[in-house]
Amino acid sequence: MASSSTAPTPPAAGDVPFDQWLDEQRRGQHHTVRRVPLQALPGWHFSRDTGDLVHSSGRFFSVSGLRVTTDYGTGEGRPHSWTQPVIVQREVGVLGVLLKEHRGEVYCLLQAKMEPGNLNGVQMSPTVQATRSNYTGVHRGRRVPYTEYFTGDRRGARVLADSLQSEQGWWFLHKRNRNVVVMTDEDVPALDGFRWLSLRQIGALLRRDHLMNMDSRTVLSALPPQVLPCRGTGPGPAGEDDALCSLTEVLSVLADARFRYELSQEQLPLREVLESSAGPWRRTGDGIGRDDGRHFTVLGVTVEAQAREVARWSQPLLAPVAGLAGLLVRRVGGVPHVLLRARVEAGTLNVAEFGPTVQCSTRHLSERGAHRPEFLDTLLAPRAGRVVFDTEQSEEGGRFHHALTRNRIVELEETDEAAVRALPPDFCWVSVAQVQALLRHGNYLNVQARCLMTALTLATG
Amino acid sequence: MASSSTAPTPPAAGDVPFDQWLDEQRRGQHHTVRRVPLQALPGWHFSRDTGDLVHSSGRFFSVSGLRVTTDYGTGEGRPHSWTQPVIVQREVGVLGVLLKEHRGEVYCLLQAKMEPGNLNGVQMSPTVQATRSNYTGVHRGRRVPYTEYFTGDRRGARVLADSLQSEQGWWFLHKRNRNVVVMTDEDVPALDGFRWLSLRQIGALLRRDHLMNMDSRTVLSALPPQVLPCRGTGPGPAGEDDALCSLTEVLSVLADARFRYELSQEQLPLREVLESSAGPWRRTGDGIGRDDGRHFTVLGVTVEAQAREVARWSQPLLAPVAGLAGLLVRRVGGVPHVLLRARVEAGTLNVAEFGPTVQCSTRHLSERGAHRPEFLDTLLAPRAGRVVFDTEQSEEGGRFHHALTRNRIVELEETDEAAVRALPPDFCWVSVAQVQALLRHGNYLNVQARCLMTALTLATG
């Protein structure tokens, strides 16, 4: 693997500064993304049987229809029902980060990677970000580098975390990716486009908008506590006994939501969603959308790039309205706790997962009479607290077009009434150490909550 | 709740011996179960649209169709596909056991309960065994006793375990029940039909055939180690460091199976399964079955009972061929380990779960050329080891007719070659303490493995 184009293992003596390196990567990964009407998207077509938008190989993913019936979020407990387009991608992919310890610091091998939906093209991605099709070569592209550290005997690397985690439940049906962290003792050179970054460097990059992509943020949430640099709001010596609730009680809050709420999911032909006179979804001139502009549209792009697995391809992207994901944090006896909420989303695999304190789209919040989520006002303007994190991040640019989510973390003082009020149903104060215990397992925290936990543990303090 | 018909809280001074009490319960719960052709089953009909067998209320459960495509178990990795009938029961039920400590012993409140599929009518069931319909009164029957210890503030009882766990993946699509264990400090009288039993008594009852029902066996697998009586093959002081693999490596074996195997599940109209000329499933004179007699049939029964929620009802039951579930155990440095296998089943929610070492139907094992599962011969006749548990148990009598599974546990000596051979894919030696850590969470162990763990920790040594 070593060649003249590789940089040495960390610390990268002689490396150019990160920003200069990233600029070079952006220039080197020159690409164009051009909008193409869905009905003219090369390689894709609306299936004659179902109207689903599918690839001619039958693989990758499809845009299908979903009928959801749930009594979550209705207030009075009577189920409501709707249909919507949804991305179906049954295949489980891998998001893998390779770690290496050097002189007491932990380094991650990350990759500057262009994704067509990113508003700025290139962002920092995990060591390996691949669908099973990438592994098996359906893309007919180049071999994915570093996969040997994540399969088989992993070249002797130790696995520190390995679980299947969900992705956006409002846009995907039952989507999961395998999030893997491995630690190697080998000297692993960074190939062109890759770079070893310390966790402290990554913490600083997380505080900048649209730099660490969603895949990096989710897989870094699985870092075990023993490799994390200890910081202010990061985990202190918080064993289970120091938390407000036992871990069993936390698990019970989620089990109760999974028992109590009905969530019926029926995959439908997309045609039934788009041709229903009762529903708001329509084929538009070049895509799929709603008259009222809510939620998302689906559009098509053709990408020409030099440094992607294949040099030219076309694909649909889901373009959502802007979102907000916010976490309230407080210390109880010095132990940091976060306020999580069990949430049912349209495509959740197992009824409910914990999401952040606040999770909503922001487009219609300022309208008269708009529903304001619980704790939103505290998140935006705490009476007694401080903003410890506030950046705008991108959702996965391989599926989503300019999907911007404001990530905000507010640490409340004990005197803020939101810190001590009786909690509405489905909310639970969970210690950071308990969240880290949950993150060893799949489908406990949704992707928004996981990304906020990465920000909290690596980028605050 | 106290009345003249209640027995005192444990120890039940003046109680009649258990077997005499159970005989009285069997006599008191006199009932008849009569076979009725499915097409004449009161309250049930084959849906005109789909051919699914459904209840007129639209609730409870249905017998529908399933198309499965998977590359698990094919050897050469090419996916195979089949259709089959499947029970669909989206509603999550509760299996709850109430515990109480008395003079250093832990007691469970269990219930003598008749289920129509049990070959012996009454077996011992959890404190609460209820669908959400039971809670909400769709059965129009009596209120389910003791539910107040499992909902809301639980009358102050402490929750010791609470997770959603899967049930038989070959017969159910995505079925889960909530398994809950709570510990009360109150004096709780046992109503008629209920009885406080110590964990040691339960251990003895587990060694008898068809006495502890499946719901009891699965929920008791969630008992946390601190309430278990310490026994021979039970958990010793086995922290994570004493195990052959780290817990992260164990989790990684399952994550790898969930990533590697394809499992596509498409719910179909039952009519398509039964009318396919390519498939083996047919409507028979009074039910559903296959020409070759494999797997299961579906039949109908009408039940008349005195002590059930409603006095008379009819329902379909799935009648499977007999099965075997077996666990190999060995000590490594004194620490007990069990051999688990990641398994993909037709109706698994999340691709794969850990099952026992051996899990198969036994009907065709003796045929010439029949496939013999890995480790079957060691389980049946170990070269160097001893049988520590071997009973025949019933699967859930509310859904299954005379569903008999031989539960067998063999402890291998280190000198048995099966104890030290290189493991085939998907197998993993996991310490008992690690399994108990997994059992805090849902969908790691399938129901056969959970029932065997209950036997191992409560009934061996």
Side-chain angles (χ1 to χ4, degrees):
Chain A
M1 182 173 285
S3 82
S4 62
S5 72
T6 61
T9 198
D15 267 5
V16 297
F18 176 80
D19 283 302
Q20 184 183 335
W21 174 85
L22 185 63
D23 280 345
E24 288 166 13
Q25 291 299 322
R26 288 196 203 279
R27 280 193 299 273
Q29 298 193 35
H30 179 73
H31 67 282
T32 57
V33 178
R34 201 161 34 84
R35 291 280 291 271
V36 177
L38 289 181
Q39 60 271 23
L41 200 61
W44 294 79
H45 64 278
F46 289 97
S47 152
R48 191 176 299 179
D49 288 348
T50 59
D52 289 0
L53 183 58
V54 297
H55 190 257
S56 56
S57 69
R59 300 200 72 160
F60 306 120
F61 64 94
S62 64
V63 180
S64 186
L66 180 67
R67 174 176 290 125
V68 183
T69 305
T70 183
D71 51 4
Y72 177 82
T74 56
E76 72 274 26
R78 294 168 60 89
H80 62 140
S81 189
W82 70 90
T83 62
Q84 65 168 78
V86 74
I87 301 177
V88 177
Q89 182 174 353
R90 300 278 181 199
E91 214 176 67
V92 175
V94 168
L95 307 175
V97 165
L98 184 63
L99 302 188
K100 162 108 181 151
E101 208 167 337
H102 183 79
R103 296 191 185 167
E105 283 236 64
V106 173
Y107 289 77
C108 303
L109 184 59
L110 298 185
Q111 177 184 14
K113 186 164 189 175
M114 192 284 298
E115 295 284 8
N118 287 343
L119 83 173
N120 55 351
V122 168
Q123 298 187 14
M124 296 305 293
S125 134
T127 317
V128 166
Q129 173 183 327
T131 61
R132 198 161 51 194
S133 302
N134 283 134
Y135 272 78
T136 55
V138 175
H139 269 294
R140 284 174 292 138
R142 294 195 299 268
R143 181 184 147 276
V144 177
Y146 302 110
T147 49
E148 64 272 23
Y149 291 96
F150 298 91
T151 54
D153 71 355
R154 302 190 185 94
R155 292 179 63 104
R158 297 185 303 287
V159 60
L160 300 186
D162 193 353
S163 62
L164 269 59
Q165 299 289 356
S166 66
E167 296 187 0
Q168 289 80 1
W170 290 107
W171 306 333
F172 281 119
L173 178 61
H174 298 174
K175 171 81 183 297
R176 287 97 78 209
N177 269 328
R178 184 178 180 187
N179 286 223
V180 195
V181 178
V182 301
M183 174 78 82
T184 183
D185 294 325
E186 290 184 6
D187 281 338
V188 181
L191 293 169
D192 183 34
F194 290 82
R195 189 174 171 113
W196 284 102
L197 293 168
S198 73
L199 291 180
R200 285 171 203 277
Q201 287 176 296
I202 289 171
L205 298 181
L206 281 164
R207 298 187 73 90
R208 292 163 60 177
D209 293 347
H210 304 297
L211 200 46
M212 295 290 292
N213 80 0
M214 187 203 83
D215 300 304
S216 294
R217 302 195 312 275
T218 168
V219 69
L220 289 172
S221 75
L223 288 175
Q226 66 268 24
V227 306
L228 292 175
C230 261
R231 305 269 211 122
T233 44
E240 188 160 328
D241 293 341
D242 302 319
L244 271 175
C245 303
S246 72
L247 185 60
T248 302
E249 288 168 320
V250 173
L251 294 171
S252 187
V253 168
L254 190 60
D256 188 59
R258 288 173 169 174
F259 165 70
R260 208 159 18 89
Y261 290 117
E262 175 183 345
L263 175 64
S264 155
Q265 301 158 320
E266 184 191 353
Q267 193 181 335
L268 292 178
L270 181 60
R271 179 179 293 125
E272 289 188 28
V273 175
L274 302 182
E275 296 181 359
S276 156
S277 57
W281 294 95
R282 296 285 174 265
R283 286 281 290 275
T284 58
D286 58 357
I288 293 167
R290 293 164 58 108
D291 299 335
D292 61 9
R294 285 176 182 261
H295 302 307
F296 58 80
T297 60
V298 181
L299 53 84
V301 294
T302 289
V303 190
E304 292 189 66
Q306 291 169 18
R308 209 21 167 94
E309 291 99 303
V310 288
R312 180 196 170 106
W313 77 95
S314 299
Q315 67 169 87
L317 290 170
L318 187 153
V321 298
L324 169 67
L327 203 55
L328 293 182
V329 182
R330 70 188 256 235
R331 287 174 181 276
V332 183
V335 176
H337 285 67
V338 299
L339 184 56
L340 300 182
R341 178 180 191 169
R343 292 175 179 278
V344 178
E345 301 180 337
T348 307
L349 177 70
N350 198 0
V351 187
E353 298 185 8
F354 281 121
T357 318
V358 173
Q359 176 186 322
C360 59
S361 66
T362 49
R363 179 152 171 170
H364 302 277
L365 276 182
S366 54
E367 288 176 6
R368 270 175 75 95
H371 170 68
R372 290 185 78 76
E374 294 274 4
F375 295 105
L376 174 66
D377 296 322
T378 302
L379 183 79
L380 296 180
R383 291 190 199 171
R386 66 193 177 99
V387 178
V388 295
F389 188 81
D390 196 356
T391 65
E392 194 176 77
Q393 301 288 359
S394 298
E395 306 306 319
E396 157 66 73
R399 294 291 173 272
F400 307 119
H401 176 80
H402 295 195
L404 315 181
T405 304
R406 184 176 175 188
N407 279 233
R408 186 175 165 98
I409 303 176
V410 166
E411 182 168 358
L412 298 178
E413 292 175 23
E414 286 287 356
T415 54
D416 191 292
E417 63 89 30
V420 292
R421 59 175 277 207
L423 291 176
D426 305 326
F427 284 89
C428 187
W429 285 104
V430 185
S431 78
V432 169
Q434 288 174 331
V435 175
Q436 288 168 334
L438 295 179
L439 283 168
R440 296 184 77 173
H441 308 283
N443 294 114
Y444 279 136
L445 266 72
N446 74 3
V447 65
Q448 291 85 356
R450 297 199 307 278
C451 289
L452 284 162
M453 286 307 300
T454 296
L456 180 67
T457 52
L458 290 177
T460 69
Chain B
M1 183 173 285
S3 82
S4 62
S5 72
T6 61
T9 198
D15 267 5
V16 297
F18 176 80
D19 283 303
Q20 183 183 334
W21 175 84
L22 185 63
D23 280 346
E24 288 166 11
Q25 291 299 323
R26 287 195 203 280
R27 280 194 298 274
Q29 299 193 34
H30 178 72
H31 66 281
T32 57
V33 177
R34 201 160 34 83
R35 291 280 292 270
V36 178
L38 289 180
Q39 60 271 24
L41 200 60
W44 294 80
H45 64 278
F46 289 97
S47 152
R48 189 175 301 178
D49 288 348
T50 59
D52 289 359
L53 183 58
V54 298
H55 190 258
S56 56
S57 69
R59 299 199 71 161
F60 306 121
F61 64 94
S62 63
V63 181
S64 186
L66 180 66
R67 174 176 291 125
V68 183
T69 305
T70 183
D71 52 3
Y72 177 83
T74 56
E76 72 274 26
R78 293 169 60 90
H80 62 140
S81 188
W82 70 90
T83 62
Q84 65 167 78
V86 73
I87 302 177
V88 177
Q89 182 175 353
R90 300 277 180 198
E91 214 176 66
V92 175
V94 168
L95 308 176
V97 165
L98 185 63
L99 302 188
K100 162 108 180 151
E101 208 167 337
H102 183 79
R103 296 191 186 168
E105 283 235 66
V106 173
Y107 289 77
C108 302
L109 184 59
L110 298 185
Q111 176 184 14
K113 186 164 189 175
M114 191 285 297
E115 295 284 7
N118 287 343
L119 83 173
N120 56 351
V122 167
Q123 297 187 14
M124 296 305 293
S125 133
T127 317
V128 166
Q129 173 183 326
T131 62
R132 197 162 51 194
S133 301
N134 283 134
Y135 272 78
T136 55
V138 175
H139 269 294
R140 284 173 292 138
R142 293 195 299 268
R143 181 183 147 276
V144 177
Y146 301 111
T147 49
E148 64 272 23
Y149 291 97
F150 298 91
T151 54
D153 71 354
R154 302 190 185 93
R155 291 179 64 102
R158 296 184 303 288
V159 59
L160 300 185
D162 193 352
S163 63
L164 269 59
Q165 299 289 357
S166 66
E167 296 187 1
Q168 289 80 0
W170 291 107
W171 306 333
F172 281 119
L173 178 61
H174 298 174
K175 171 82 183 296
R176 287 97 78 209
N177 269 328
R178 183 178 179 185
N179 286 223
V180 195
V181 178
V182 301
M183 173 78 81
T184 183
D185 294 325
E186 290 185 5
D187 281 338
V188 181
L191 294 168
D192 184 34
F194 290 82
R195 190 174 171 112
W196 284 102
L197 293 168
S198 73
L199 291 180
R200 285 170 204 278
Q201 287 176 296
I202 288 171
L205 299 181
L206 280 164
R207 299 187 71 90
R208 292 163 60 177
D209 293 347
H210 304 296
L211 200 46
M212 295 291 292
N213 81 0
M214 187 203 83
D215 300 304
S216 294
R217 302 197 310 278
T218 168
V219 69
L220 289 172
S221 74
L223 288 175
Q226 67 267 23
V227 306
L228 292 175
C230 260
R231 305 269 211 123
T233 45
E240 188 160 328
D241 294 341
D242 302 319
L244 271 176
C245 303
S246 72
L247 185 59
T248 302
E249 288 168 320
V250 172
L251 293 171
S252 187
V253 168
L254 190 60
D256 188 58
R258 288 173 169 175
F259 165 70
R260 209 161 15 91
Y261 290 117
E262 175 183 345
L263 175 64
S264 155
Q265 300 158 320
E266 184 190 354
Q267 192 181 335
L268 292 178
L270 181 60
R271 179 179 293 125
E272 289 188 29
V273 175
L274 301 183
E275 296 182 358
S276 156
S277 57
W281 293 95
R282 296 284 174 263
R283 286 281 290 274
T284 58
D286 58 358
I288 294 167
R290 293 164 59 108
D291 300 335
D292 61 9
R294 284 175 182 260
H295 302 308
F296 58 81
T297 61
V298 181
L299 53 84
V301 294
T302 288
V303 190
E304 292 189 66
Q306 290 169 18
R308 206 28 163 91
E309 291 98 305
V310 289
R312 179 197 170 105
W313 77 95
S314 299
Q315 66 169 90
L317 290 170
L318 188 153
V321 298
L324 169 67
L327 203 55
L328 293 181
V329 182
R330 71 188 257 233
R331 287 175 180 275
V332 183
V335 176
H337 285 66
V338 299
L339 184 56
L340 300 182
R341 178 181 192 169
R343 292 176 179 277
V344 178
E345 300 180 336
T348 307
L349 177 69
N350 198 1
V351 187
E353 298 186 8
F354 281 121
T357 318
V358 173
Q359 176 186 322
C360 59
S361 66
T362 49
R363 179 152 171 171
H364 302 278
L365 276 182
S366 55
E367 288 176 6
R368 270 175 75 96
H371 170 69
R372 291 185 77 76
E374 294 275 4
F375 295 104
L376 174 66
D377 296 321
T378 302
L379 183 79
L380 297 180
R383 291 189 198 171
R386 66 191 178 99
V387 178
V388 296
F389 188 81
D390 196 356
T391 66
E392 195 176 77
Q393 300 288 0
S394 298
E395 306 306 320
E396 157 65 73
R399 295 290 173 273
F400 306 119
H401 176 79
H402 295 194
L404 315 181
T405 304
R406 184 176 175 189
N407 280 232
R408 185 174 165 97
I409 303 175
V410 167
E411 182 167 358
L412 297 178
E413 292 175 23
E414 285 287 356
T415 54
D416 191 292
E417 62 89 30
V420 292
R421 59 175 277 208
L423 291 176
D426 305 327
F427 284 90
C428 188
W429 285 104
V430 185
S431 79
V432 169
Q434 288 174 332
V435 176
Q436 289 168 334
L438 295 179
L439 284 168
R440 297 184 77 172
H441 308 283
N443 294 113
Y444 278 135
L445 266 72
N446 74 4
V447 65
Q448 291 85 356
R450 297 199 308 277
C451 289
L452 284 162
M453 286 307 300
T454 296
L456 181 68
T457 52
L458 290 177
T460 68

